[in-house]
Amino acid sequence: MIKKLLSFILSCLIILSCLIPAFAQTDNSLKISVISDIHYFPEEYIGNLNGFNYRRRVDNDLKLEQYADEIVDKAIDSIISSGSKIVFIPGDNAMSSEYLSHEMLVAKLKRLTENGIDVYTIPGNHDISRADKPAYKYVADDPDKTIVRAGETYVDDVAIEVKGTTKTEFVELYKDFGYGNNDKIISRDPNGSLSYTAQITDGYRLIAIDANEYSGELCTGKKSLDGKLLEWVNDEIKKCTDSGDIPLLMAHFDFIEKYSMQSMIMGGNFLDDGEKLATELADLGAEYIFTGHSHANDIASVTSKNGNTIYEVCTGSLLLHGSPIRHIKFNGADCEIRTEFPESIDGIEDYQAFCKDYFYNGGVTRMMRNRAIFDVTDAVAGLFKSNDSAYSAVYDFFLELMTKVVDSLLAYELDCGITVDKMFTELYRLHYAGDEQLSPEMKKATEKLLDGTAFEFALDLVFNSISEVSGIENILKYNPLHNSLIDEAVERVIGFIPARILGIIFGEFCQGIFIDPYPADNNIDIIDGSAFLPDGSPCNNNSMTSFDAFKYYLSVIF
């Protein structure tokens, strides 16, 4: 009986051993955390939270700079408690190259190293000064002194230039985070970038890629991964795999599209030929690239013709919606990715609800005022800066025109009670948070964009707004054809084709954001190159082939 019992127990143990997930801990394991795009900004540089120039800076994507200290402290607490021994920070540590921003952030990050955690970072496009983009602080001496712009009242603040950060200063500031005399740093790019390779632990190497272009001590604002830098990266991957180690790449800029047509609409986020570069890196043996820059918590993958898959793990901005923190456990080349969204920060008990309200409470309207109303007005009026009277007239005209157009477009109802404002709010919020879902209501709304109907309205609105603001309508009303059936028919013919083209481009762009392609964004396991949800089910591949996309566009047009 005892023998039978022992045999039964042994059989059960053998069966259980077969059922243990491939993710079981082994000696070749590693746990890291990732935070990105911190965009730290000193509280003393803010001036007034409702200052016009300050709001222009942060409302571009609704950064929560007033809570920078609390959010960073919470992230550090989370990393320490997670058990991670390594932290990756893929750049944009400062708001815009302010030396004090870096200095204060470095002081906070030292708490990680004091707890035995190694931190590695690289510069993003906001970390080192540019000749054409100085670092600023904002001063509002009189909070009662206000100005009105595009129908909104702001405190009249002033942007004052402050000390920025040179390339050499960045290296000195982050000497404990990848740029000092660390025995784990085994290679540095000899060609001028701030790229390096670190033997972060036995079996794993970090290849940190700085794709910024420089002119002396300053950034030029351009980026590239080619020439000698690419040769260095390729050599480092080969050396890594030849030694039997696993290469983990870190870069600031995007390689792979996170949704259909992203690189067409937001090309500035991507490295040139980024997807092609990613497949070449995959064929060399790289399976993971950790990035930031686009401020969205997203994971994308691409497979080379040779069948090698590489995953780009993009971590959203710590100072934006939800404040994502990645915790990643490696077991060889397999990994388990989990994302934490802090439930609270000091002073805000339900932080996630606060973030959601911050977006829904007029957030997109504030963003569009900056990106469309003010940016367009500044760009057009800037052409007349040499003539004060012309500049003032053009500025006032375009400010009124763009305010009328943007506010009217945002209020336009697409379908199911969903306005353009509400749809854009969901687009931004869900894209930043990851794991987007296209609800039936949003599907109907985006289909109205796709068929061009909304853009027929939009173009008509633009034409009418120009006529009204410029006074041309007062002249046109004397035209015998004005408001006649013939006049309306001509307008429809002129607007039909552009509306259809715009509908396809922007409708597909918006709908694509809601459809999360392979794999998931926040919590996945990657085993033998394939992605699985935490429950073990395979991630769905919702991306279209080129042929399917071609057929789809034809169906939309006709």
Side-chain angles (χ1 to χ4, degrees), residues 381-428:
L383 300 173
F384 300 87
K385 273 196 171 181
S386 59
N387 186 319
D388 290 343
S389 60
Y391 173 84
S392 179
V394 172
Y395 186 92
D396 291 344
F397 172 78
F398 271 92
L399 185 64
E400 182 181 356
L401 172 63
M402 293 306 300
T403 301
K404 183 176 181 61
V405 170
V406 170
D407 287 353
S408 299
L409 287 176
L410 290 175
Y412 179 60
E413 186 175 316
L414 292 164
D415 214 329
C416 302
I418 294 175
T419 61
V420 172
D421 180 274
K422 184 176 179 181
M423 187 182 73
F424 274 25
T425 299
E426 280 291 278
L427 288 174
Y428 275 109

